Amino acid sequence: MSMNFRGRLLAATVCAGALSAALPASAETLADALALAYQNNPTLQAQRATQRALDENYVQARTGWRPTLSMGGSLTYNEVRTPKNAAGLDTNADGIPDSFGNFGIRESNQARVGLTFNQPIWTGGRTAAAVNAANADVLAGRENLRRVESQVLVSVIQAYSDTRRDQEALRIRQENVNVLTRQLQESQARFDVGEVTRTDVAQSQARLSQAQALLQQAVAQLAITRATYATLVGQNPGELEPEPSLAYLLPTDPDEAYKVAEEFNPQLRAQHYTEQASRARVAGARAERMPTVSGQVTYGFSGPAFPDRPADAFQRDLYARGVTATLNASVPLFSGGLVSSRIRQAVERNNSDRITVEGVRRNVLQGVTQFWSQLIAARANISSAEEQVRAARIAAEGTRQEQQVGLRTTIDVLNAEQELRQAELNQVTSRRDEYVAAANVLATMGRLEGRNLTPTVPQYDSAKNFRKLRMTWGWVPWEEPIGIVDSLATPWPAKAPDDKPVEAPIAPGLQPAPAVAPAPATR
């Protein structure tokens, strides 16, 4: 962890009294926070790098149709020693019988260097199946990238909402301490003139001590949420603006949410592609029973490695040149059951992926139901909390006035103040819950994406790198016709994955929230 980032995290734990001294942050709106996270969040950046690495699997699979060129060489020295009792042996063909101790000796050496060009002509469908499986894996990876993007954006929205909730909670707790401090002063003054008893003063002191403890808890909770925000966004939050409306992305009824989720949920779409990849691997396993055909051309030089005279090493007449063209065909006949076992294994893995599609679909629909229900409940809680705050504010003010004329006791005033603060906290929490539930509904539907939330920010194109790799280094013009033959001339062709359509971007993006009139001040 860098010292700069460590310092930012430490700054997030500063108490509320010192927050004004912190460096101002530029992300003051939810759109700004989402844009920063979209561009700089480490989890999202790492997933994009993972997707780019996955794109290379497609290139590697296509190399099964591409030629290879290799260069090889060899250097050979040979010495033959023949026993001397082989009378009259002339090993070097000079007309004189050889003799060296008890042996006759014959030496020879050979050098060879050459280029070999090998071109697959037909792989029996093996390469075609591998290419289709890699393509499906790439498409599944793009959906996983969408899923991670959605998870990051949901986390940012939740951290933003939690920070605003805790900032409001801290303000309410601070106001409660101020009110109870004045209440204690009033009780002490009335006790000094004999209007109330020591019990009233003790009750005020107890409530003030409790309020101060709750204030410290609010400070700690705000520090925690600020640290979470800084981790996701990359900088500390300032005084955050109210959350803008997500109504332009939300469906009008749950049936529409179910329909959109079944078509565009990234996790469900990724599982569909995973099933298509395993289906292509079944075809690849069956292709192992098919023959393969390839062509090979070798061009090389051969001659003596160590001529009698060093100058002869550069004479071309001493070296033979040759070109060899070979058409190779290989037919698998018996593998000891290995191919059959691999086919059965691939089929069962495909069955597992196909069954998992239904399981993921059910989980997606369950998620829509869960978050939609939370959204409806939170909206109802907002209405109830607003009414509760209105009534509690009236009750608290009336109780204070009745205390002045002796109709209410100190404990009645303290209880009314406590109910008012709790109602205000409930209102803040309800608004946070409603917004987070709406974000989760959109994430489950597959709509919580940067292009829908912050369309003015440059969007990452996960297919751009893939398109660039389509004709990169190693591509040859005859690769395409060989691929067509390999795909069609097999009894078990691998089906190309279906590239599912994506939902069009939904305008206008996050807009500033409408101004809200401040709540009436309380004494």
Side-chain angles (χ1 to χ4, degrees), residues 266-331:
Q267 186 178 3
L268 182 56
R269 286 164 64 100
Q271 186 58 41
H272 277 293
Y273 287 130
T274 300
E275 188 276 332
Q276 293 180 29
S278 63
R279 192 192 318 163
R281 291 188 174 94
V282 171
R286 289 173 174 166
E288 294 296 326
R289 292 174 172 172
M290 300 297 294
T292 60
V293 180
S294 63
Q296 181 176 305
V297 177
T298 302
Y299 178 74
F301 295 85
S302 62
F306 306 105
D308 295 336
R309 294 179 299 173
D312 293 340
F314 302 98
Q315 294 184 9
R316 299 177 59 186
D317 295 341
L318 294 178
Y319 298 94
R321 288 173 290 173
V323 178
T324 304
T326 307
L327 182 65
N328 298 314
S330 176
V331 181

Side-chain angles (χ1 to χ4, degrees), residues 40 69 75 83 136 187 235 270 283 337 394 411 415:
N40 304 315
L69 181 65
L75 183 64
S187 298
Q235 65 179 26
I394 295 175
I411 191 63
N415 288 339

Side-chain angles (χ1 to χ4, degrees), residues 137-208:
D137 287 338
V138 169
L139 294 174
R142 292 180 190 173
E143 296 302 325
N144 286 328
L145 177 58
R146 288 183 60 224
R147 176 181 56 82
V148 172
E149 176 186 332
S150 180
Q151 290 175 347
V152 169
L153 296 182
V154 164
S155 298
V156 172
I157 290 175
Q158 181 171 341
Y160 189 98
S161 300
D162 288 349
T163 303
R164 289 202 68 249
R165 176 200 61 192
D166 294 338
Q167 286 177 344
E168 286 296 307
L170 180 61
R171 181 190 60 79
I172 293 171
R173 293 298 186 190
Q174 183 63 61
E175 184 178 354
N176 191 38
V177 169
N178 296 337
V179 170
L180 292 179
T181 299
R182 291 195 297 270
Q183 181 65 38
L184 175 60
Q185 293 172 352
E186 291 179 4
S187 298
Q188 185 65 49
R190 297 180 67 184
F191 172 75
D192 292 340
V193 297
E195 293 184 3
V196 297
T197 65
R198 185 174 298 277
T199 302
D200 295 301
V201 177
Q203 289 173 341
S204 298
Q205 290 175 336
R207 288 297 177 90
L208 177 58

Side-chain angles (χ1 to χ4, degrees), residues 68-86:
T68 58
L69 181 65
S70 60
M71 182 177 181
S74 63
L75 183 64
T76 305
Y77 171 79
N78 188 31
E79 179 183 284
V80 179
R81 296 193 177 197
T82 306
K84 189 175 181 180
N85 57 9

Side-chain angles (χ1 to χ4, degrees), residues 2-14:
S2 67
M3 293 298 295
N4 189 23
F5 185 64
R6 184 182 293 115
R8 291 199 298 267
L9 289 180
L10 290 175
T13 63
V14 177

Side-chain angles (χ1 to χ4, degrees), residues 11-24 167 170 222-223 226 237-239:
T13 63
V14 177
C15 66
L19 289 181
S20 59
L23 292 176
Q167 286 177 344
L170 180 61
L222 178 58
R226 283 173 57 84
E239 187 64 30

